[in-house]
Amino acid sequence: MQSYTELTPPTAVTHSLSLPFLSSTANNLVLVKTSLLQIFSLKSVIATADERSSKLGALTSDGTAIVNGSGPVTTRSERVQTTKLVLLAQYELSGTVTSIARVKILKSKSGGEAILVALHDAKLSLVEWDPERYGISTISIHYYGREDILFRPWEPDLAQCSNILSVDPSSRCAVYKFGSRHLAILPFHQPGDDIAMDDYDPGLDGEGAERKESVSDIGNGPGAKDSTPYAPSFVLSLLALDPALTHPIHLSFLYEYREPTFGILSSQNATSTTLLNERRDNVSYAVYNLDLEQRASTTLLSVNNLPYDLFEIIPLSRTVGGVLLVGGNELVHVDQSGKTNGVAVNEMARQCTSFALADQSELKIRLEGAVIKQLGIDSPDLLIIQRNGDLLMLSFKIDGRSVSGLHVRHVDTDNSPLLAGASCASSVGRGRMFVGSQDADSVILGWSRASDRLKRQRSRTDFTGDNDELADLDDMDFEDEDDLYADDKHDEKVKSAAAAIPAHRPEDDYKFRVHDTLLNFGPMSDVAFGILPLDGAKPTQPPQPKHEFMTTSGRGRAGALMSLRSDIVPQVIQQYNGPPFQAAWTVCAKKSAGASNGDDFDNYLITTSQQHSQEQRKSNAFALGADVLVEVQNTDFDPDAGATVDVGTLNGGTRIVQVLANEVRTFDADFGLAQIYPLSDDDSGAESKVVGVSFTDPYILLIKDDQSLSILTVDEDGDLDEVEQGENFKGSGWLSGSLYEDANDVLQLSYGSDDEEDSSNVLMFLLSAAGGLQIYRLPSLRKPVYVAEGLSFLPPFLSTDFYVRRSSCHGAVIEILIAELGDSVQKAPYMILRTVEDDLVIYQPYQSPIQGSKDTSLRFLKLPSNHASSTPTENGVMEEDEIKIGPRLRAIHALSGYSTVWVPGSPSSLILKSASSPPQNISLSGASITNLHGLHTSKCSRGFLYVDGSGILHGAMLPLHSSYATGWVSQKISLDSEVNALSYHSPSQTYILSTIAKSPFKLPEDESHRTSTSDDESFLPEIDHSTLQLFDRKTCRAIDRHNLDRIEVATCIETVSLETSEHTHERQDLVCVGTAIIRGEDLPSLGRVYVFAIIDVVPEPDHPETGRAFKLICKEEVKGAVTALSGVGTQGFLLVAHGQKCMVRGLKEDGSLLPVAFMDMQCYVSVAKELPATGFCLMGDAIKGVWFTGYTEDPYQLRLFSKSPYHIETITASFLPDGRNLYIVVADAGGNLHVLQYDPEHPKSLSGHHLLPSPPFHTPNYPSTLTLIPPSHPNAGSLLLTSPTGSLSLITPLPASTHRTLSSLQSHLLNTLPHPLGLNPRAFRTPSGKVGSVAEGAGAGRVGIIDGNIIRRWNEPGNWRRWGGEDAREVRRAVYLATGGGK
């Protein structure tokens, strides 16, 4: 009984699309990351760029760049206009997206275009943007995976076929190729549609025998044609279009046709490299015109005898026209008349085809996996992005209106900003392109040409070279201005410019630079559990070890290590000595308004001591600027006045305000007392205490323990006065409040009718005792400008007209804060609520349109939260109308470039948000933090000050070079080479990793085989070869290397405690490396096992980290490649999987590995692991499945205990012990998780010979590793999954009672929650095809895996719809456990 939860979302971009989505004038970018849909807008900012930015990556705000994680490197910078991505919304989908396309429908809710999404299980979903709900809205979903459509004898499964989606450029219809030869056609209504199309009756006009309508189209009943943007879809067989389309390769709609027209690339016989002599040039390209009224097609042209390796059709806009056919060795252009022109890009083209091609074989490039994109709709050039990240430019020679030649040239390699290949590309504006990647970080790429810049300068006589600021502006501004004066013959000018391809000129080179970057964790091929190094020179560092996950990331030159943590480890800069502190505040005081004290550093520190009782606590004021705190002397600050509640500044920083429990004191910049303002009630004489404070110049909001408020304002002289309150306002009870200065009028709230001139931009958000929200525009308190009484119900959408009838299920909201979240690129206000259960709820304000009016109204959208609190203790339970006393939410406006919020608790956390990510609540590591405040000094710039549980005061900063976009703290350490294996050596606190590089491969000459001729040696294939590196975590650099042979690649690395002496039985942690020696496909591969020790050596001068090095102890050659290594038993032996055998070997003193036990596997083993110190072993292969074996030491032998009951294409597997139960979790090649239990007493196990399966669980992230988390790490005993998509997941064992509770909760949420794109999460988690049917039958009657992604949405509905009732406390504890303790 387990649960599966994604800890981090996928980060590898698989699809991208640029379109006006939010409105007709918007410029949006839609990204798909496997099963995550993200919607971005693009924002132009003025940033700094340096001449090396094209190679270093994204721009920074201070002209620095990070190289190999070693820190910032200052370079010469200039100010340029830069395009940044701003995240608007993201959705977790219950499906794997295979393609997306834009559709212009007749009428959408936002006025923008719609998105057509294709999924792997033959589904199409049409979505639009709904401005009223500030999210996507599903228009329709079309399902074509029915048995009556797909069922054919001997037809492959749907998952084994490639699906292709293409939409007509005029949005008249979409075609969707699915299965082996099925084509779905979905027409769209457009202005000017023929009425006869709507009146078409298949019963009267006839219908093709091959046609089948999709009965899953939503809203296709009578009269639905006026309410839906599409007409009924239908399915045809490709053989009905043309009997020759037996093996379709690719299809795409074409430009410049009156009717919907698409081209298909296909072959009558399957293409094959091995049968090239018989099936050379067997590919055909045909163009078909669709008649949507008659549902028929017409063949317009056909081109036969094309090269066999063509795999893609790229339609070209009217600037060039026709299509570009892409092959692995050539490029072919076909115009509308069928005329062809091609170019060969390597020497293999002439061996593979007889098709006439221009010779550019000297380029020696490979086009497999390349992405080709036109540089704008009006550009004749195409950008080619190779698999290794190299850029090429494709130009056309145009004679008149036809293409007469193609020319490919390399882009300057020193100017190439990409480190790996691309998965997709989309133009996002003039001179801008988004390049998504699964092997590296995705980027926004910008370009310019010197020739274009010179032309623009000559066309502007009033432009002078002295204006450097204008010269640095981006090309986009000038080109957009030129478009205003463009004539009607623009296309002819562009074509005439491309008519001839002149000799290459340097000024024609494109200059590329990176505008923005999206971090990618994947692909993750290995993982290791390590410990962050502690700096012994700093006694302020906490002594307890800080654990981390280290994974591999990237391919090729983008190879890196990725350090991941679930919490933030503050980088302590200094420690302030003194008595135990309770709280501390920093102050930046100024002599006069507008004055500056240098860099606006904080100059004072005010603390509250915890040496005395609550009534006798003292406050102290210290001068900042030194490591030792020096108390200010000879001032009016009174330490005996009592404990300080809060501290702030007013009147432009000239007044220091100290809020005490019963009074407010103001001081000047030298702590001269200016005013004492008592807070007692003059009428009743009652003295209430202040428990909460909110500052916004010139106002102070004071929350008191008797549910009353005081609002103070400061005049120009710096004197405080109270804002007048009416009787109705005084009679109300208030639990919490917050001030916010809406300087840019983002919330667009009214100013009132009679006090608009006296109103300010300061808004006061109040939480009433009844749980309602009221917003006032200060200084007026007569009438609120916004009222939402249903706030306590925590609805998904909060508005003024929301209410719930006859329900008492409102939540106990006890605190409210309005604060800006974001970074230097984008900041926006958010409403943050805290409940009595310590849940954190974040609302995003937005403007919703009012029907029948051009005005908008303010609404709040409830955001999904990754924060799941545990059940509070009994003494922590509060009544819903009780004032919260203690640390409160605090906004920090400048923390390492972030505007963030500190959330007190155990543990406390920070809410961090970047422009391209949602708000993330990340815990702070270490002891309990009782107080936190911003700190800005020369030694700790834009850091924070915190008091730990021991009363010690620390000045700290966020970790350098870290990202928080996924909810985890990540640090990417660039290595410039791909890492394929990784292990951690605990005694030396180093990582051992294998980096691979590409090298030309030639068959060995010392073996009997067919030798290659000299003609073949100019364009050789490439293979991997490995280098072992000893990596120091503290300095993030390799301190030693061991080179393997040229044709040898490391396959696995493990740190194992081996016995090094047969006499003393001494054990030592040694590094074991398994390798494969590749000798070509005709010769069997060999393998080697290396055993290294990490020894101490004399370090290099000024580099103490180099005092460790490799020492080779053993090098053993074996038959077959070594595929897995593991320690086994209690005597320090090594389990080695090589070839078709698994052997247990012992290390002898002479440096050899002695076999002591073995097992014939009959297949190559993909995984071999031991449950530590038990002798239980599992072996898995890609043919048969999983083997559960046991190792005994007296006598030495491996015995088979049990095996999987059905075939599993095993990629990785791991043990998952749960008390007295033993489970084995297996991930297959289809991304399915199989849970197998060893229970020999169960009757279905056949006396233990078969492992008992549970229903399989599908995940779209295709796990690459399954690792049991060690006991010393967080979430010990759970399984950590890594994937090529960059997603981290967790499988957690659950007690039976918890599993039953969560199973009921999951069923409730599946039926009540809205699911994006109208998808079915239950069907998504059920494997499809033969694997799913066999596994489902074998696991019938057993419980399955709980979907943690669903159950953590427990708080997403309003409280009146939340499942649990009186058992909500138990449900909360179960959700907390199943989701990995809040992550």
Side-chain angles (χ1 to χ4, degrees), residues 654-820:
T654 61
R655 283 290 184 266
I656 303 174
V657 181
Q658 180 192 19
V659 180
L660 304 175
N662 299 311
E663 64 184 21
V664 178
R665 298 190 175 198
T666 61
F667 304 88
D668 59 18
D670 297 323
F671 271 107
L673 183 63
Q675 186 182 4
I676 299 178
Y677 193 95
L679 298 176
S680 60
D681 193 340
D682 296 337
D683 298 333
S684 62
E687 292 187 0
S688 55
K689 295 182 179 180
V690 176
V691 295
V693 183
S694 180
F695 288 94
T696 295
D697 203 359
Y699 297 99
I700 311 175
L701 172 63
L702 305 175
I703 313 295
K704 301 180 182 180
D705 58 359
D706 61 352
Q707 298 187 3
S708 63
L709 300 178
S710 290
I711 302 100
L712 306 181
T713 181
V714 63
D715 57 18
E716 296 180 355
D717 298 329
D719 296 331
L720 292 178
D721 194 9
E722 187 167 1
V723 177
E724 181 180 356
Q725 302 181 17
E727 294 298 329
N728 293 334
F729 189 87
K730 285 184 178 181
S732 303
W734 311 103
L735 298 180
S736 180
S738 177
L739 299 179
Y740 173 71
E741 184 180 6
D742 191 10
N744 298 322
D745 198 20
V746 176
L747 303 181
Q748 299 182 20
L749 292 175
S750 63
Y751 282 83
S753 58
D754 54 352
D755 55 355
E756 182 173 353
E757 295 181 357
D758 298 332
S759 298
S760 65
N761 290 326
V762 178
L763 300 174
M764 181 171 64
F765 290 72
L766 296 179
L767 174 64
S768 67
L773 170 67
Q774 295 189 20
I775 305 177
Y776 292 83
R777 185 178 292 276
L778 296 180
S780 175
L781 300 177
R782 292 192 298 271
K783 183 180 179 181
V785 295
Y786 189 88
V787 178
E789 296 296 345
L791 177 64
S792 60
F793 292 98
L794 301 178
F797 297 92
L798 179 65
S799 61
T800 57
D801 54 356
F802 172 80
Y803 67 97
V804 177
R805 294 181 178 178
R806 300 177 183 177
S807 177
S808 60
C809 298
H810 56 86
V813 180
I814 57 175
E815 190 173 357
I816 184 174
L817 175 67
I818 307 300
E820 287 188 344

Side-chain angles (χ1 to χ4, degrees), residues 1001-1022:
F1001 175 72
K1002 294 176 61 177
L1003 292 172
E1005 299 178 356
D1006 56 348
E1007 300 283 352
S1008 57
H1009 55 78
R1010 185 182 62 84
T1011 58
S1012 57
T1013 61
S1014 58
D1015 295 338
D1016 300 328
E1017 297 181 358
S1018 58
F1019 189 66
L1020 296 174
E1022 294 180 341

